[in-house]
Amino acid sequence: MTKILEKITVLALIGSSLLLAKPNVSILATGGTIAGAGDSAIKSSYSAGAVTVDKLLAAVPSINDLANIKGEQISNIGSQEMTNEVWLKLAKRVNVLLKKDDVDAIIVTHGTDTMEATSYFLNLTVKSDKPIVFVGAMRSGSSMSADGPMNLYNAVSVATNKDTVGKGVVVVMNDEIHSSREVTKTNTASVDTFKSVNTGKIGTVYYGNVHYYMNPVRKHTSASEFDIEKIDSLPRVDILYAHANDSDIFVNAAVKAGAKGIIHAGMGNGNLFPSTQEALGKAIKNGVVVARTSRVGSGRTNLGGEVDDEKYGFIATDNLNAQKARILLMLGLTKTQDKKALQDMYFKY
Ligand code: GLU
């Protein structure tokens, strides 16, 4: 009888420890306002990337109720200083961590200026279905009503939610969940700045309560063909921004600097100023890949509208903005120079 009681006690203990087992989440810090500090609670001036990952996590102790958290510093920069090298380092580290059985999800803390780009880079280069969540803040930790602590709490809630599995890289800001392919920063200073202008957010997170309403349908993470494990640098791709009275000057400068690809953020439906168009046509004849996108900020850049894409050899970037189109072209050029294959990538990713 005593033996049976002992067995039941042991089983109960194992059962309760299994119930209590929390997911393991690695938080990789890269800098930004979420790690920023200023001298005053009511002034906008501050330095991004002034606070280390340990201090950042210590400021939100309630995240430890949701998960076993491990922090790691990848960089500590304002995200306007982001480089291809940091992207490669970050993506490789995430791939290593997510292969481990004892890592269930990744959170990347990041400045908001280029969060839409870094998150999309990882969306195309991380080979895992486990949750990967980007989070930042618009107000530094020393500001009145800092948004970082709630954003971080919500990010851990999203990262530990089973419905986040298989969604690709997501961005959590201001109670909203966005797909990294769609999201962009739309306002220079508001906390309500991250929007998926073409498709809308995929979910909400309110005081840690997660609700999803949509799934990203374009290829990402495990289904992506891009492999950066053996790559130490990415081909040069420049972005040119069109305007009235434009010229060929920056096209020629990009080609001279060794650009393998150019993203042209055109007017309206990706339209070009005549001398820019001729210079880009010449660049294409010399082996540079040129993709047309739009400076408008939403909508698709369509093939064969006002521009004779066939004559010039342009490809079009679907509804990706210029900064995301640049990432897809850099990765595409690691695989092929073939224009048709590169065009197809814009319809798949
Ligand atoms: N420039 C800073 C950055 O992107 C500030 C933006 C932010 O994090 O809110 O790191």
Side-chain angles (χ1 to χ4, degrees), residues 125-329:
T125 54
V126 170
K127 306 281 176 204
S128 174
D129 291 336
K130 291 179 185 175
I132 304 152
V133 179
F134 271 66
V135 67
M138 289 300 286
R139 297 183 183 138
S140 81
S142 30
S143 275
M144 196 186 288
S145 293
D147 55 334
M150 181 57 92
N151 285 347
L152 185 58
Y153 184 79
N154 280 339
V156 178
S157 306
V158 171
T160 53
N161 187 288
K162 64 174 178 22
D163 293 336
T164 308
V165 172
K167 292 268 191 298
V169 179
V170 299
V171 168
V172 169
M173 290 286 292
N174 199 38
D175 297 352
E176 297 185 349
I177 311 168
H178 292 267
S179 162
S180 55
R181 182 188 184 276
E182 308 300 333
V183 75
T184 190
K185 188 176 187 178
T186 62
N187 187 290
T188 53
S190 167
V191 293
D192 188 27
T193 179
F194 279 88
K195 297 289 159 203
S196 295
V197 284
N198 288 308
T199 56
K201 58 183 173 279
I202 59 168
T204 59
V205 48
Y206 187 61
Y207 288 89
N209 288 305
V210 178
H211 295 278
Y212 279 106
Y213 300 94
M214 283 193 281
N215 275 321
V217 296
R218 292 299 181 103
K219 281 181 154 209
H220 60 73
T221 53
S222 303
S224 166
E225 70 200 85
F226 304 114
D227 184 359
I228 43 108
E229 285 321 301
K230 293 192 181 84
I231 288 177
D232 293 319
S233 65
L234 294 163
R236 181 182 182 117
V237 175
D238 291 326
I239 296 175
L240 303 182
Y241 192 96
H243 54 88
N245 206 46
D246 206 351
S247 74
D248 58 4
I249 289 179
F250 292 111
V251 176
N252 296 335
V255 173
K256 202 169 160 212
K260 302 283 178 277
I262 294 175
I263 302 294
H264 180 265
M267 298 167 267
N269 193 355
N271 291 319
L272 309 95
F273 190 74
S275 57
T276 315
Q277 179 159 312
E278 294 312 313
L280 284 170
K282 208 168 126 201
I284 291 169
K285 287 206 176 94
N286 288 324
V288 178
V289 176
V290 179
R292 289 192 304 108
T293 182
S294 171
R295 64 177 199 176
V296 168
S298 69
R300 226 168 159 258
T301 302
N302 295 291
L303 279 171
E306 285 184 77
V307 181
D308 191 339
D309 288 301
E310 243 178 75
K311 175 177 159 199
Y312 285 92
F314 297 130
I315 58 177
T317 61
D318 199 293
N319 64 358
L320 290 182
N321 66 21
Q323 47 276 37
K324 290 179 202 274
R326 173 177 174 264
I327 287 169
L328 187 49
L329 188 51

Side-chain angles (χ1 to χ4, degrees), residues 31-54:
T33 298
I34 194 167
D39 299 333
S40 161
I42 51 162
K43 286 202 177 128
S44 63
S45 57
Y46 70 96
S47 309
V51 174
T52 60
V53 64
D54 298 333

Side-chain angles (χ1 to χ4, degrees), residues 31-34 46 48-49 77-80 110-114 136-139 185:
T33 298
I34 194 167
Y46 70 96
I77 53 176
S79 72
Q80 64 273 35
H110 198 286
T112 56
D113 289 358
T114 58
M138 289 300 286
R139 297 183 183 138
K185 188 176 187 178

